[in-house]
Amino acid sequence: MMVQKKTRGQLIVLSGPSGVGKSTVISELLGQRQDIYFSVSFTTRQPRMGEADGVNYNFVDRAEFERMIAAGELLEHAEYVGNYYGTSLKVIQEKLDAGIDVLLDIEVQGAAKVRAKCPEAVLIFIIPPSFEELSRRLRGRNTDSEETIAGRLQKAREEYQQIPNYDYLVVNDKVSAAAAEIIAILLAEDCRTRNRLHLVEGI
Ligand code: 5GP
C-alpha cells in the first residue's frame, strides 16, 4: 500500500538498566530502520575506550553544559551517577518537523521530562529476561568491581519503579527479537489514527 508520508516524525524514547544490552539492540534496530535518526546526547562524563566525540556523545565540560541548560538549548537533561546528560532541542525539532523519526537513549528522569513536554512521544523500557540475568550480564563484563556492580543493580531496582510510566516493555532475551518487538511497536504507532489523519483530510 502506498501511504502518503507522515507530516511529523515520531519521538521514540528507549530506557533500560545498565547491562541490559540497550546499545546492541539500538544498533540492530538502526541497521534495520535506517530512516530513524539517533540523537547524539551531550554529556560531561569522560569518553570510554572506543567512544568518539560527536558519534557516541558530544563530550562537553560542566561549564558548557550549564550554559546550555541556562540558554534553554536542551529538551531534557538529568544528572546520572555524577555526570550531566542531555538532549539537544534544536536538532530534535528539526528532524521531527522534517517527518523523521528520532530515537533517544535516555535514563528514566529524562524520559519523564520528555513525557511531560511531548505527550505524544512513545516510551519503551527494555528489561533483561530476569533480574538474575542482569546480574550475570554485569558480572560477565569483567570490567567492574563487585561494589560497582552492586551499585548498578541497586540503580536498576530504582529504575524499575518507573516502568509503569512507559508505554511498552521489551524483553531483551535475544537481540534480534528485541529489535523486532521495537519495530512492531513503531509500526503500530505509525498506524495510530492521530498519526494518519492527514490521509483523510478534506473528505
Ligand atoms: P552511559 O554513561 O552508560 O553512556 O549512560 C548512562 C545513562 O545515561 C544511560 O541510562 C543512558 O540511557 C543515559 N543517557 C544518555 N544520554 C542521555 C541524555 O541525553 N539524557 C538523559 N536524561 N539520559 C541520557
Side-chain angles (χ1 to χ4, degrees):
M1 183 179 61
M2 183 63 189
V3 176
Q4 201 186 325
K5 198 172 172 299
K6 59 189 175 187
T7 48
R8 212 172 146 67
Q10 173 75 54
L11 187 56
I12 309 148
V13 172
L14 265 185
S15 302
S18 172
V20 75
K22 207 170 21 151
S23 352
T24 318
V25 172
I26 289 176
S27 299
E28 175 77 20
L29 171 66
L30 297 179
Q32 292 187 43
R33 283 281 315 268
Q34 289 168 11
D35 55 316
I36 296 177
Y37 175 81
F38 178 72
S39 161
V40 179
S41 296
F42 286 81
T43 186
T44 57
R45 88 148 158 74
Q46 291 301 308
R48 293 193 188 118
M49 188 97 100
E51 285 185 334
D53 190 29
V55 178
N56 306 88
Y57 283 102
N58 296 300
F59 295 99
V60 295
D61 60 21
R62 282 186 89 84
E64 171 59 7
F65 200 100
E66 282 164 4
R67 187 203 61 74
M68 294 176 78
I69 299 172
E73 292 176 15
L74 300 174
L75 167 67
E76 62 73 36
H77 71 275
E79 202 153 357
Y80 182 89
V81 204
N83 289 300
Y84 278 133
Y85 294 83
T87 307
S88 159
L89 178 60
K90 186 163 171 274
V91 178
I92 304 302
Q93 256 169 355
E94 282 169 3
K95 298 292 175 191
L96 294 176
D97 289 349
I100 298 167
D101 294 343
V102 175
L103 177 64
L104 309 183
D105 165 0
I106 63 178
E107 50 67 68
V108 294
Q109 305 164 67
K113 290 178 193 162
V114 172
R115 169 65 96 212
K117 283 192 183 168
C118 317
E120 70 292 351
V122 52
L123 270 60
I124 304 172
F125 196 95
I126 307 187
I127 52 168
S130 67
F131 216 77
E132 292 68 41
E133 175 60 20
L134 184 65
S135 167
R136 253 195 305 278
R137 287 183 193 178
L138 285 170
R139 288 200 168 80
R141 284 175 169 177
N142 269 337
T143 50
D144 301 314
S145 65
E146 269 307 309
E147 195 189 343
T148 307
I149 292 170
R152 286 182 205 264
L153 287 172
Q154 182 49 35
K155 186 95 191 151
R157 271 189 204 94
E158 288 162 25
E159 289 167 343
Y160 270 43
Q161 304 305 310
Q162 304 304 318
I163 289 177
N165 302 327
Y166 283 72
D167 300 305
Y168 296 96
L169 195 54
V170 162
V171 182
N172 183 23
D173 193 356
K174 206 164 152 248
V175 172
S176 57
E181 286 191 356
I182 297 172
I183 287 170
I185 291 166
L186 300 182
L187 180 59
E189 288 293 316
D190 272 352
C191 298
R192 271 190 193 278
T193 304
R194 69 155 189 258
N195 292 334
R196 292 203 147 166
L197 280 177
H198 62 286
L199 300 176
V200 292
E201 254 163 28
I203 291 169

